[in-house]
Amino acid sequence: MSQNEPRFDALLGAAQRSAVHLEMRDTYGVDDEADDFNEWQRSGKRDIDPGSAYWAPWVDLISRATARGVTVRRARVISEPVTDYIRYEHAGTPVNIHAGEQVRWLSRRCAVDLLLPGCDLWIFDGAQALFNHFSGEGGWSDPPLELRSESSTVKQCVDAFEAVWERAIPHDQYEIH
């Protein structure tokens, strides 16, 4: 990552009130989770130990944010029936919740009338949108992140996230289809 690219951990570390994440892909292919995903596909077992080498950095990052009073919410817009990757994400979501995130799921069919951004993103304190750029295969594009702070762009993203959140089903009530 070049010095000009935004750093997620710094943006989350600077957040004072909120950090929300909108995910809209049915599959991801990012290198840092490939081994875990392959193991889950092979065995059907997912690492859900918050203290494991895989999860501990994330749990620490989110836990520090929520301890400062930052509300962290994640909404996933998904196709049904779900992909194997979404099954894998669903199986690991208890760790996100353990870390302090609130997570909801929304079927893509329930989002047809919503105006959504073209890619996944994080919004920090309703003031900055960090867009996540992926290739068609689900790996990170180059550059992978784009930070925008124009009020009109951020407002559109906030409105889209809140519309999804309002309709989405809390993780503990969502059943995989």
Side-chain angles (χ1 to χ4, degrees):
M1 191 176 287
S2 77
Q3 289 184 344
N4 293 335
E5 288 183 27
R7 290 187 44 102
F8 173 78
D9 55 348
L11 292 165
L12 183 60
Q16 297 176 4
R17 294 178 315 282
S18 66
V20 301
H21 188 31
L22 181 59
E23 293 181 79
M24 298 178 291
R25 295 183 56 90
D26 287 319
T27 188
Y28 294 84
V30 294
D31 294 338
D32 63 340
E33 64 188 16
D35 290 342
D36 193 58
F37 180 60
N38 290 335
E39 174 61 24
W40 175 82
Q41 284 186 305
R42 186 186 64 69
S43 70
K45 295 179 183 173
R46 178 81 201 264
D47 174 4
I48 55 170
D49 175 6
S52 71
Y54 177 81
W55 280 108
W58 183 255
V59 170
D60 182 57
L61 189 65
I62 297 301
S63 296
R64 280 187 281 130
T66 59
R68 290 193 326 271
V70 176
T71 299
V72 181
R73 296 182 293 159
R74 178 186 303 256
R76 293 176 170 144
V77 178
I78 56 169
S79 299
E80 292 176 324
V82 300
T83 63
D84 279 349
Y85 186 86
I86 295 300
R87 288 182 190 285
Y88 163 79
E89 275 194 332
H90 190 270
T93 299
V95 181
N96 296 93
I97 293 167
H98 171 84
E101 291 185 53
Q102 300 170 42
V103 181
R104 292 187 181 183
W105 303 82
L106 182 65
S107 168
R108 199 169 307 283
R109 289 185 180 274
C110 296
V112 295
D113 61 336
L114 299 180
L115 299 176
L116 301 176
C119 53
D120 292 7
L121 58 88
W122 280 87
I123 305 165
F124 302 97
D125 290 333
Q128 295 178 302
L130 181 67
F131 292 95
N132 302 155
H133 295 294
F134 296 98
S135 69
E137 303 270 321
W140 290 107
S141 291
D142 187 26
L145 304 172
E146 177 184 356
L147 185 63
R148 304 287 295 269
S149 57
E150 303 90 347
S151 59
S152 61
T153 299
V154 175
K155 183 181 180 331
Q156 288 174 335
C157 295
V158 168
D159 291 348
F161 179 86
E162 293 301 335
V164 168
W165 189 258
E166 183 178 309
R167 292 184 186 182
I169 299 168
H171 176 75
D172 64 348
Q173 298 171 28
Y174 180 75
E175 295 182 25
I176 290 285
H177 297 289

